[in-house]
Amino acid sequence: MTAMAPRPRFIAADTPLPLGRAMVAIFARDVRAGLRQRQDLLNPVVFFVMVVALFPLGVSPESGFLRQAGPGILWVAALLSTLLSLDHLFRHDHDQGVLDQMLLQPQPLYLLVLAKVSAHWMLTGLPLVLISPLLGLMLQLEGNSLWALCLTLLLGTPVLSFIGAIGAALTLGLRSAGVLLSLLVIPLYIPVLIFGTGTVMSLSEGLPVSGHFALLGAMLVLAVLLAPLAVAGALRISVSNG
Amino acid sequence: MWRVFHKLGSPKWFFGIASRLMPWLLAAGLCLLLAGLVWGLLFAPADFRQGDSYRIIFIHVPTAMLAQSVYIMMAVAGVVTLVWRMKLADVFVRSVAPVGLALTFLALFTGAVWGKPTWGTWWVWDARLTSMLVLLFLYAGAVALAKAIEDEKLAARAVAILVVVGVINIPIIKYSVEWWNTLHQPATFKLTEKPTMPAEMWMPLLLSVLGLYLLFGWLACLRMQTAILLRERRTRWVREWIEPVTR
């Protein structure tokens, strides 16, 4: 009787979604899901602030020390709170089977991963960058140093997200994922940390810094281009592992 | 050429070749290493400035060199694993990682022991020391990841990805660490430069380096054989090989 019932729109389209739209869809979905999980959104920021607050208390509140150590403190804290947030990157999707669906998509996994990690950075890395001027002021950083620091974080935190995604994908579904993740990822973070803090250091010593920014930018390009390849490979392994 | 390639991928073929090769590797490696060490530790002249404490380089340099080359070898095998899914390559990656970890630790340890009398401190945040420390972390990550994943094949592929990512990062880490070090403190310390070393010193060093590489070859074969036996335990050739041994 109802031979030609309209086909529900969400079940199966004959042609796959265009690439750009698929990426935007994943990005938007992740951002929306992230915004609804306020707790997960706040955790890295709170952690960031707390770690930074520990240094003046634990080492020395003198402004000379803070001014010198400030960039390093902020960078280490940003690195740690990124590390803390990586656990969520794929886990919910893995538990709910969304990841299996993603692997089955006709679009290349590489680009879907790119969208997903970008969304992760928007939700975790960007808030850190936005709050860093405030913390920088509290650590007695001034003027150019402060802005240079924020700029290095802006360039550097996406690198942290992208490299971290490799570790998150490799340790997905493992029992000792947390410790293992930091073991895998921290050595790869070292260059970013060195150049991030080094930029501010040499600025305060009056040295030219355009080269440092260029290097950070190069790392960003490299990470965005290459890391999703490794992440895609790692996700395939982790998903078939169960 | 492709036939050789396929043969190389066959665990059974490798098992046979390795069994024949191993005694030679062991004998030659032990001879060279012993010769190098005895020559270096007992007969080579003492250093003009460092006295006898420099003699630790006959252990330190071989372990440090081998530790670095093992990582490169693992990365090459990792690429082979990921591209061609060759069984032997992933057996190699997994069998060799703990050896590399141990070698890196030895290199750092002997370096610290040498540093105490020479530099007056166990540890300096010098570029070379720091990059070896990072290498230690990279090895530790590879070993831990291999242990954490139960399925052998998946573990091997995961480790292969990690090692390949690591090897892309090694030059970046190395240069960034050097840059960082030269900014913060002038390079006060340098390892003894090789060309200035007389032949009585570098000859035993060369011998012990060669000996350690050969011994590594032996150990790699042994560990790979063990891994292959475990992995292929359900195949016929392994049962046939095991039977006369256990009876």
Side-chain angles (χ1 to χ4, degrees):
Chain A
M1 282 171 270
T2 55
M4 296 299 285
R7 189 186 262 172
R9 258 178 55 216
F10 49 85
I11 287 192
D14 293 298
T15 51
L17 218 55
L19 207 51
R21 273 184 61 199
M23 283 176 72
V24 170
I26 289 215
F27 184 81
R29 170 190 169 275
D30 276 21
V31 169
R32 212 177 300 134
L35 288 177
R36 285 180 189 157
Q37 297 274 333
R38 296 259 164 73
Q39 190 64 43
D40 289 358
L41 201 61
L42 269 178
N43 272 345
V45 180
V46 173
F47 185 78
F48 186 54
V49 175
M50 307 262 272
V51 171
V52 170
L54 286 180
F55 278 87
L57 296 172
V59 190
S60 155
E62 269 176 64
S63 63
F65 162 76
L66 288 180
R67 203 166 293 148
Q68 221 196 344
I73 295 172
L74 278 174
W75 256 98
V76 171
L79 193 151
L80 292 177
S81 51
T82 306
L83 204 60
L84 195 70
S85 71
L86 284 174
D87 188 40
H88 299 290
L89 178 52
F90 297 115
R91 218 194 38 207
H92 294 310
D93 285 353
H94 185 53
D95 293 346
Q96 294 163 0
V98 178
L99 218 51
D100 302 69
Q101 298 299 322
M102 239 173 84
L103 294 191
L104 293 175
Q105 293 307 306
Q107 290 87 9
L109 188 56
Y110 173 86
L111 292 170
L112 302 185
V113 166
L114 191 66
K116 208 166 165 48
V117 181
S118 310
H120 175 261
W121 175 75
M122 272 258 306
L123 294 168
T124 59
L126 194 57
L128 300 185
V129 177
L130 292 179
I131 201 171
S132 61
L134 179 66
L135 293 173
L137 274 179
M138 288 167 76
L139 294 180
Q140 314 292 336
L141 292 174
E142 282 158 356
N144 278 344
S145 303
L146 187 60
W147 296 119
L149 178 74
C150 299
L151 199 56
T152 58
L153 281 174
L154 186 65
L155 285 171
T157 44
V159 184
L160 299 183
S161 283
F162 272 91
I163 294 178
I166 303 175
L170 281 172
T171 55
L172 193 60
L174 299 181
R175 247 173 288 128
S176 52
V179 185
L180 194 54
L181 179 63
S182 34
L183 187 58
L184 300 188
V185 166
I186 289 181
L188 305 178
Y189 277 174
I190 289 173
V192 193
L193 178 69
I194 288 176
F195 284 109
T197 52
T199 311
V200 189
M201 292 290 186
S202 33
L203 187 74
S204 60
E205 284 164 24
L207 299 167
V209 288
S210 54
H212 304 164
F213 279 118
L215 275 167
L216 271 178
M219 283 189 209
L220 177 60
V221 172
L222 212 65
V224 171
L225 282 179
L226 294 184
L229 272 180
V231 176
L235 280 180
R236 288 214 171 85
I237 293 170
S238 296
V239 166
S240 53
N241 197 21
Chain B
M1 161 156 190
W2 281 106
R3 266 184 65 189
V4 177
F5 200 73
H6 285 302
K7 255 191 174 174
L8 257 173
S10 140
K12 185 184 169 190
W13 180 84
F14 172 81
F15 197 88
I17 286 287
S19 313
R20 253 180 290 158
L21 216 57
M22 274 164 58
W24 297 102
L25 285 173
L26 180 64
L30 273 183
C31 284
L32 284 175
L33 190 63
L34 274 179
L37 287 183
V38 170
W39 186 359
L41 295 181
L42 299 180
F43 299 107
D47 188 69
F48 159 64
R49 234 185 296 163
Q50 298 175 22
D52 280 333
S53 71
Y54 93 96
R55 288 181 202 278
I56 203 158
I57 66 161
F58 297 111
I59 301 169
H60 175 71
V61 172
T63 47
M65 279 173 75
L66 190 55
Q68 291 170 14
S69 358
V70 168
Y71 202 85
I72 307 286
M73 290 184 228
M74 276 170 65
V76 172
V79 171
V80 174
T81 303
L82 292 174
V83 176
W84 289 293
R85 301 274 160 88
M86 199 196 256
K87 278 186 196 167
L88 272 181
D90 68 48
V91 171
F92 178 82
V93 172
R94 268 163 34 98
S95 313
V96 145
V99 182
L101 181 67
L103 283 168
T104 314
F105 177 76
L106 262 181
L108 281 171
F109 179 77
T110 51
V113 169
W114 176 79
K116 186 65 186 163
T118 320
W119 297 341
T121 166
W122 296 104
W123 182 262
V124 191
W125 288 97
D126 167 80
R128 287 177 107 164
L129 276 72
T130 314
S131 45
M132 277 310 268
L133 187 66
V134 176
L135 188 66
L136 187 78
F137 293 154
L138 288 174
Y139 270 124
V143 172
L145 186 66
K147 282 261 186 299
I149 304 179
E150 272 158 31
D151 185 307
E152 283 168 20
K153 277 176 201 159
L154 294 177
R157 277 165 56 200
V159 175
I161 290 185
L162 183 70
V163 174
V164 171
V165 170
V167 95
I168 294 174
N169 263 277
I170 278 183
I172 304 178
I173 294 172
K174 208 170 160 53
Y175 282 109
S176 64
V177 164
E178 260 164 36
W179 177 88
W180 156 77
N181 174 263
T182 49
L183 184 79
H184 282 256
Q185 46 180 272
T188 350
F189 309 116
K190 271 211 171 125
L191 290 177
T192 327
E193 276 155 20
K194 275 203 185 117
T196 60
M197 216 186 246
E200 301 89 68
M201 285 187 191
W202 66 255
M203 276 297 283
L205 184 59
L206 185 69
L207 286 185
S208 45
V209 168
L210 283 178
L212 198 67
Y213 270 75
L214 290 177
L215 270 185
F216 166 76
W218 170 76
L219 188 60
C221 283
L222 185 67
R223 291 183 64 92
M224 282 172 77
Q225 278 195 332
T226 318
I228 286 172
L229 280 183
L230 189 66
R231 192 178 170 151
E232 309 276 315
R233 60 187 177 277
R234 293 189 217 297
T235 59
R236 223 171 113 205
W237 72 266
V238 170
R239 281 199 202 142
E240 278 166 7
W241 186 84
I242 291 275
E243 228 156 59
V245 180
T246 48
R247 202 168 277 168

